[in-house]
Structures are given as C-alpha cells and as structure tokens.
Amino acid sequence: MKNLWAKKDADIFFNQVRRLGIARQFADCVYASRLLGRETQLVQHGGGNTSVKLLAKTFDETHIDAMFVKASGYNLEQITAEGFVGVNQSVLDKLKTHTNMSDEFLINALGQSRLSFSSPNPSVETLVHSFIPARYVFHTHPVAILALTNQKNGSELIQKATGGKTIVIPYVMSGFPLALQISRSLKHNKDNNTIVVLKHGVFTFGDTAQDAYDSMIRVVTNSEKFIRSTRKKLKTNPRKPSFKLENLAPVLRGALISSSATEQRYILSFRNSPVIKNFLGFGNLSRLVKCGPVTPDHAIWTKPKALFLPSNCNSIEIVRAVKNYKRDYERYFEKNNRRYSGKKVMRDSLPRVIFVDGLGVFGVGESLEKAHIVSELAETFAAVALKSESLGFYAPASLRDIFDIEYWGPETAKLAEIKNSPLSGHVVVITGGGSGIGAATATRFKEAGAEVVIMDSDRKTTSALADKLGAMYLSTDVTDKNSLRLAFDKVIQEYGGLDIVISNAGAAWEGEIGTVPEKILRQSFEINFFAHQSVSQAAVEILKKQNLIGKVGGVILFNLSKQAINPGRNFGPYGLPKAATMFLLKQYALDHGKDGIRVAGVNADRIRSGLLTDKLIAKRANARGLSNLDYVTGNLLGKEVLAEDVAKAFLDLALSKSTTGAVMTVDGGNIEASLR
Ligand SMILES: [Zn+2]
C-alpha cells in the first residue's frame, strides 16, 4: 500500500485551515484522516476513526487535557475539523477504574464528556482512543488485515506477516470491553504502536500524525505482502448471467417491498465489479454468504448474512428465498435476544445484501445513499472472503458477537438519527423536469425524501438543477421511444425500479382550428399526447414486474391543462391533445387498477414557466382583452398561481393512496373550467 504522506501537502493543508484557528497538531490529524479515508482498502464507508489529544480552553479560559475524536457517522475522506468532537480527557480517565459498564452508562459518560453540548456524538470507539496514551490514534478495518484475522489461526498469521512486532488481541466487544483490553495489553508492551483486534481491525498510534499514519501503512503493507507470498491460487469460474438486470431488479425489488411489514420502499444499488464476478465464480458461495460480515461493525448496514439467489431462479423462487431469509433472521434475533431478557426490539428482517449468481450483487437501503453503502460493504466482503479462502477458511466473528454489535445501543443510535421521510426509498421520474412546473415538482419530491430522476432534453439547465438537488439527470427525448427505453433502463440500473412517474413534458402551439396547418397539430399531438402514452407504457412495464405478487403499486401522474376542459380562443392545437391525454388518464386508471397502478392528473392554468412565457402571457391576455396582471390573477381567488402550487398538487396526489382516475384543478378557481 502506497504511503501518501507528503510534508508539502500537510503544510498546504495547515495554511488553509490556520485562519480558522486550527492548530498545527489538529490540522495534521485532519490531513491524516483524509489520507486514510481515501484508501478503500483501509476504510469503508463511514468506517474507521481517528483522534488527537490536545490542550483545550474551557469557557473560563482554563486549559484542560482534551481529545478531539471523529464524530459518529462522519466520513474520514471528506472530514474537516468540524467532524471532530472535543471531549474532556479527565472525565474519560475516571472510567479506567471500572470493570464493566452498561450501554446507558457509556452513552451518558460520552455525552457528558463533550466540551460542547451542541457537538454531535463522538465515535463509538472514543474510549479506546482515550485509553491509548499516545497523542494520535488511528483506527481502520483494512481488507488485508481482515483477510488474515478472519481465520482460525489469525493471531499466528498476523505475527508472521509483521515479524512479531504487533500486539494482537482476540475479538472483544467494542466500547468499554475493547478499551479495557487494549489498555491492559499496552501495560506490557509500552514501545509498541500497533494493535490488531482479531476479526475487527487495527489501531495504530504515535506522537506525531505521520508516525501513526506510517505505522498504519506499514502493518497493512506487510499483511498484503504476506498474503501475496503465501496464498494458494483460487479456482474461480465466473458464470454468464441468465438474467438481464433490467428484468430481474424490479421483480426482486417487488419481492422485498411486498415482504416488508411496513410500507417502506427500498433502493437497490447494483455492482458487478471484477471482485464481485470472481466471488460469484467461486465454489463455496452458499457457505460464505451465511458466515457473517468481515467485521461486526458492518452488520448494522449489511445484516449478518447475505442472501444468495441461483442464476436460474424464477419470481416465485425469489419470493420464497426472501421469505426464508426473513424466517432465518427472526430465529437469529429471538435466539440472541434471550441473552438480553427479550429487551431488544427487532429491526426489519429483510436481507440487505443479495448476491445473484452470474449477475452481481444488490445493496438494499431505504435511500440511494444507504443502498450504496451496503453494496460497497458487500464488495469489501467479497474481496476479504476471497482473500481469506486463498489463505485457509473465512471465519469471521460469531453470529453471537455480531448480534451484540448489531443491537448495541451506540450503533443503533446511528440508524435512529436518520429520519425517514414520507417518500424515502421511492423512485420518482419527472419528464420535462428541467424548468417551470417540472423543476418545482422535482424539488418538492426531493424534499419529501424521494429519489428523483429528471428526464429532459435541455441538458444545460437540467443538469445544473439535478446537481443542486442531488437528483439524476437523463437527457431524454420523450417523443422518441428508443430514447425513453434507454432512459428507463438507466433508472432500473441505478435504483432497481420505479414508483411514481410524473409525465409533465409538454409544449404549446397556437392556431385557429379552421386554418391551422396539420403539421402543427400533429407536432403538438406528438408531445402533448403520444409522449404521455409512451412514457406511461414504459412505466407500466416496470410497475407490473414489481407487482408480480401484488401489494406493490405505482403511480402515474399527468400534467394536463385547463385547455383540456375549457378551450381558449386559437389554442386548439394545444388543448386538443391535452383533452385526449385527460381521457388517456381515465383509460390507464381503468385498465391498470388491477396492477395496483393509480393514475391522476393536475389541471393547472396560467402558470408562468418556460412554456407559458411572459411573451405568451401578453399574447393570451390580449386574446382575452385583459392586462397581463389581470390575466394571471384572473381567477376566483384573485391571485397568481405558482409552479410550486402545482408541484404540491402532484405530491398530494402521489400520497393519496385511495385516489385514482382523478383530476385536481390548480388554477385559483375558474368555474368555466371546473370539472363536474
Ligand atoms: Zn472498528
């Protein structure tokens, strides 16, 4: 492993942060943390933690011994000084005299040790950092060390790899037990600066950040070299996939959602890197996926076991496999919860990591971000398990030890902090989402927690909006079936399925109906009617796959227009296809209610947008003999209706679970255009 420390870079980093009042010693800790976090062979998402011990000033200007330790849930790769929590070392020192400690006691002690009550929770390994006397302490979960220590003879292998220069301690529960064990082992090994915890990871420390960093790179490099020199060649025989991802993912997603005890939807993050392909080509998969994660820390994301699906399973077998997984998880929970007198509360029992033979792996999460974390950890699992098997047998911590971490208070607190929104885990596609009503709708749905995909032909404005929102942008021509198919395939590849489609793209044409050229009418029908039909057909195909076993419905929403009901003079080319689309809505509601698909639309009027520009407003106002202001406020409420009002209507319709075949009017009130 390459040592990335560069004095010049550390100096530059310090010069950048010194104006914020950050001391050199602190800046070096942040710099080292980022170097560690950058290396995926050392740190997986959100994992690892670092600290530095410094003098700090209290509110009354007295100096105290403090430690700045990574806050829980922060990523080392992007960390800044704000990602560290200051804690009072003298408070934590007092805990050294204890012989055991309850979760509640530990959480309280850590909370009260903070120098500022507004700071986030310190890392769950804060006590370990505090009990190690060195100024800098770094902790990671390196692939090479896990491959060596997830073995029956892990201690022997580590000593061989590092020439006997490492303190090795057996796996022990994180938090106080680990801190105590490490503190004891250091009493007899004062000169050592590397501690490997079997089946968990490594701590290195030193008086300078560079010393602690160098020790980390050294122990990992030695482990990597040892693995290269001693491993036997593994036979892997990657198989050809018998599924297309675009066909399998919605079925699998539907099976998970329909098996959930709540109405939670899930995102599926797919990977098929060379590591995953090699893993899938390896013979002992059904044993490996049941063994457990590479370090118990990963269990809160991945669950103890992965689900493995053979390459030729059909949808009924997929549903059965999910059911069996759930039953197995419930047994694991009940068995281990007895040790806690039944006090723990079970999380959902669905799988989080799903390997599909020949195809790849899915990480399952309540958001795209969480699903990505899971699939990244699944890839680490595949890499470590393969390396372990090339040395002997992959043998991680026991399910009992994994349960203790999976249901450990400070760990579950990490999950509890993430609040799920009403549309978390939902995938929403918005066509014409780059500006006006579409952009306002994309923003609304993102705020409601959905994963948003914006399909639009205007790359410049839409990609900027997508970046701002954290949405996906797909350059799409809704009047081109091929472009639409590719776009919907991309949605499945990225998210695993689809829940809500807002068919919004449209364009306005004018012309007196008795004289308008046919070409204009046909152009308008192309986008204002046929595109809605093509988008809906593409959506129905995915939604039906997801709903194979029922209970997993979807929503299609159309942006209609007041013109569909109440025609404006010379606006026939726009109103006619919109009227047809309103009927299309009814037809979809009628034909696909049985598939759990709800269909509704919004009738909006006089919304300023890319379609109804100020210029067009002036023209339409003139056609009705009104001023511009009177035109946009000419409704029963006497106020201008905004794109945000329409966006809210779309959201309300998406959340109205018993509504289909409905049209909601958003026009400030216009009796002539109101529906009967
Ligand atoms: Zn750890």
Side-chain angles (χ1 to χ4, degrees):
M1 176 168 290
K2 209 169 166 211
N3 188 318
L4 299 172
W5 189 281
K7 184 173 179 306
K8 205 175 110 215
D9 291 347
D11 290 346
I12 292 171
F13 183 73
F14 172 55
N15 281 327
Q16 283 168 355
V17 297
R18 69 193 306 179
R19 63 191 162 79
L20 304 171
I22 308 289
R24 176 76 204 214
Q25 286 169 319
F26 196 170
D28 281 353
C29 180
V30 181
Y31 171 71
S33 304
R34 289 171 162 215
L35 289 188
L36 295 170
R38 211 198 282 178
E39 182 53 81
T40 53
Q41 294 292 302
L42 284 179
V43 169
Q44 296 79 45
H45 191 96
N49 35 66
T50 53
S51 68
V52 55
K53 298 181 183 74
L54 296 169
L55 283 179
K57 258 190 210 166
T58 62
F59 64 94
D60 62 352
E61 299 287 304
T62 49
H63 281 93
I64 55 158
D65 285 328
M67 177 174 77
F68 292 83
V69 63
K70 192 197 90 161
S72 183
Y74 279 71
N75 278 330
L76 286 179
E77 190 179 1
Q78 296 93 13
I79 205 161
T80 60
E82 283 162 12
F84 288 81
V85 183
V87 290
N88 187 334
Q89 267 285 81
S90 60
V91 172
L92 299 179
D93 273 346
K94 285 182 195 155
L95 304 179
K96 282 185 183 167
T97 55
H98 288 246
T99 48
N100 61 47
M101 196 178 288
S102 69
D103 279 2
E104 293 73 26
F105 189 95
L106 173 68
I107 292 168
N108 270 333
L110 290 182
Q112 287 176 19
S113 72
R114 288 176 303 176
L115 298 182
S116 163
F117 281 143
S118 61
S119 58
N121 287 329
S123 158
V124 295
E125 299 294 13
T126 296
L127 271 198
V128 181
H129 286 261
S130 167
F131 284 15
I132 296 174
R135 183 177 298 282
Y136 293 90
V137 179
F138 298 157
H139 170 48
T140 68
H141 307 133
V143 166
I145 289 188
L146 291 168
L148 289 173
T149 63
N150 280 319
Q151 299 278 344
K152 278 204 176 101
N153 58 341
S155 175
E156 187 191 320
L157 293 174
I158 281 288
Q159 293 299 11
K160 274 188 187 164
T162 60
K165 288 183 188 143
T166 306
I167 303 172
V168 181
I169 61 171
Y171 177 83
V172 55
M173 173 77 183
S174 289
F176 181 70
L178 181 59
L180 197 64
Q181 179 88 349
I182 283 183
S183 159
R184 280 180 189 153
S185 67
L186 279 174
K187 277 190 190 135
H188 315 289
N189 296 282
K190 287 205 166 58
D191 298 331
N192 216 317
N193 55 12
T194 304
I195 298 176
V196 167
V197 184
L198 295 178
K199 303 177 195 293
H200 176 168
V202 61
F203 291 85
T204 61
F205 33 93
D207 289 333
T208 68
Q210 192 180 353
D211 281 351
Y213 175 81
D214 287 348
S215 297
M216 181 66 76
I217 302 303
R218 196 178 310 120
V219 68
V220 175
T221 304
N222 288 337
S223 301
E224 285 174 341
K225 278 187 191 159
F226 179 77
I227 292 171
R228 274 199 296 274
S229 66
T230 55
R231 70 177 165 192
K232 57 182 192 293
K233 192 132 181 67
L234 281 186
K235 268 196 202 138
T236 70
N237 180 21
R239 280 172 283 279
K240 282 226 155 46
S242 49
F243 291 115
K244 259 185 84 183
L245 171 65
E246 294 76 21
N247 289 332
L248 174 75
V251 175
L252 182 53
R253 185 168 184 260
L256 290 170
I257 297 168
S258 62
S259 307
S260 166
T262 64
E263 292 185 356
Q264 179 65 53
R265 303 239 157 179
Y266 295 92
I267 304 297
L268 271 55
S269 160
F270 179 72
R271 285 186 186 226
N272 64 348
S273 61
V275 171
I276 301 284
K277 280 183 183 152
N278 263 342
F279 179 77
L280 290 172
F282 183 61
N284 291 330
L285 282 197
S286 45
R287 172 175 67 83
L288 286 181
V289 295
K290 287 183 193 147
C291 280
V294 297
T295 171
D297 283 23
H298 291 182
I300 57 159
W301 297 106
T302 63
K303 297 264 171 84
K305 298 179 189 177
L307 174 62
F308 176 69
L309 295 175
S311 65
N312 54 354
C313 61
N314 59 33
S315 49
I316 294 176
E317 287 162 337
I318 290 173
V319 174
R320 196 180 303 141
V322 171
K323 219 179 203 173
N324 289 342
Y325 182 97
K326 284 184 68 178
R327 202 173 303 135
D328 184 59
Y329 184 86
E330 283 153 18
R331 271 201 294 265
Y332 150 85
F333 175 81
E334 277 156 24
K335 183 179 166 195
N336 285 286
N337 197 23
R338 270 180 230 132
R339 292 188 286 118
Y340 292 88
S341 313
K343 282 185 187 144
K344 301 284 181 189
V345 179
M346 195 176 77
R347 307 162 59 197
D348 74 77
S349 51
L350 292 170
R352 285 296 184 278
V353 176
I354 303 170
F355 286 100
V356 183
D357 199 7
L359 192 68
V361 68
F362 292 98
V364 180
E366 293 90 342
S367 66
L368 183 65
E369 192 190 353
K370 287 194 207 173
H372 276 329
I373 294 173
V374 177
S375 67
E376 186 186 329
L377 296 179
E379 188 162 346
T380 304
F381 165 74
V384 171
L386 274 187
K387 277 201 167 77
S388 277
E389 290 288 306
S390 72
L391 295 162
F393 286 98
Y394 177 64
S398 67
L399 290 177
R400 181 190 164 99
D401 287 336
I402 291 167
F403 181 89
D404 290 342
I405 293 286
E406 191 187 353
Y407 282 92
W408 185 35
E411 283 286 278
T412 47
K414 277 188 202 170
L415 294 177
E417 276 166 23
I418 312 167
K419 291 269 173 289
N420 283 342
S421 314
L423 287 181
S424 75
H426 286 65
V427 182
V428 182
V429 166
I430 302 167
T431 69
S435 58
I437 290 171
T441 306
T443 308
R444 254 294 169 170
F445 275 78
K446 193 73 200 169
E447 284 165 3
E451 305 298 340
V452 171
V453 182
I454 306 176
M455 295 185 184
D456 200 299
S457 54
D458 183 346
R459 175 175 294 277
K460 211 169 153 202
T461 50
T462 315
S463 57
L465 173 73
D467 283 352
K468 193 178 111 196
L469 293 181
M472 183 191 206
Y473 166 57
L474 293 172
S475 171
T476 318
D477 175 358
V478 289
T479 60
D480 174 353
K481 279 200 166 185
N482 200 35
S483 170
L484 272 178
R485 192 181 51 78
L486 290 174
F488 276 98
D489 278 357
K490 267 253 177 282
V491 173
I492 299 178
Q493 289 155 17
E494 184 71 9
Y495 301 94
L498 177 68
D499 302 290
I500 300 165
V501 171
I502 299 162
S503 191
N504 164 69
W509 277 272
E510 290 179 290
E512 188 187 58
I513 199 65
T515 53
V516 70
E518 188 178 314
K519 194 177 151 205
I520 290 200
L521 206 51
R522 286 188 186 276
Q523 267 177 344
S524 182
F525 261 89
E526 215 38 70
I527 186 156
N528 291 319
F529 174 76
F530 283 107
H532 288 298
Q533 161 65 355
S534 305
V535 166
S536 305
Q537 273 198 343
V540 163
E541 191 186 334
I542 301 170
L543 294 174
K544 277 175 83 171
K545 281 180 197 160
Q546 265 177 194
N547 195 41
L548 260 189
I549 51 160
K551 292 202 289 181
V552 186
V555 184
I556 299 174
L557 302 175
F558 295 102
N559 190 353
L560 302 169
S561 165
K562 166 251 178 198
Q563 297 296 327
I565 312 238
N566 175 228
R569 199 175 302 280
N570 295 337
F571 222 12
Y574 181 63
L576 284 164
K578 285 288 188 182
T581 299
M582 194 167 83
F583 214 86
L584 185 73
L585 174 163
K586 294 186 181 209
Q587 199 67 50
Y588 267 97
L590 179 65
D591 288 351
H592 293 286
K594 66 177 185 337
D595 301 313
I597 299 172
R598 296 192 292 111
V599 190
V602 175
N603 255 358
D605 190 26
R606 301 182 193 185
I607 314 290
R608 277 179 216 269
S609 68
L611 197 142
L612 187 61
T613 57
D614 287 346
K615 204 172 143 194
L616 191 55
I617 287 175
K619 214 170 163 190
R620 298 302 314 153
N622 197 28
R624 290 180 187 244
L626 297 168
S627 73
N628 290 5
L629 183 67
D630 284 346
Y631 178 77
V632 292
T633 60
N635 55 49
L636 297 178
L637 298 176
K639 62 171 210 170
E640 183 173 353
V641 182
L642 304 174
E644 286 71 22
D645 298 321
V646 185
K648 179 160 186 311
F650 277 125
L651 182 64
D652 290 346
L653 285 170
L655 293 172
S656 300
K657 291 193 174 133
S658 302
T659 298
T660 192
V663 176
M664 189 187 276
T665 304
V666 185
D667 61 2
N670 177 353
I671 286 301
E672 288 76 19
S674 62
L675 286 157
R676 287 201 294 154

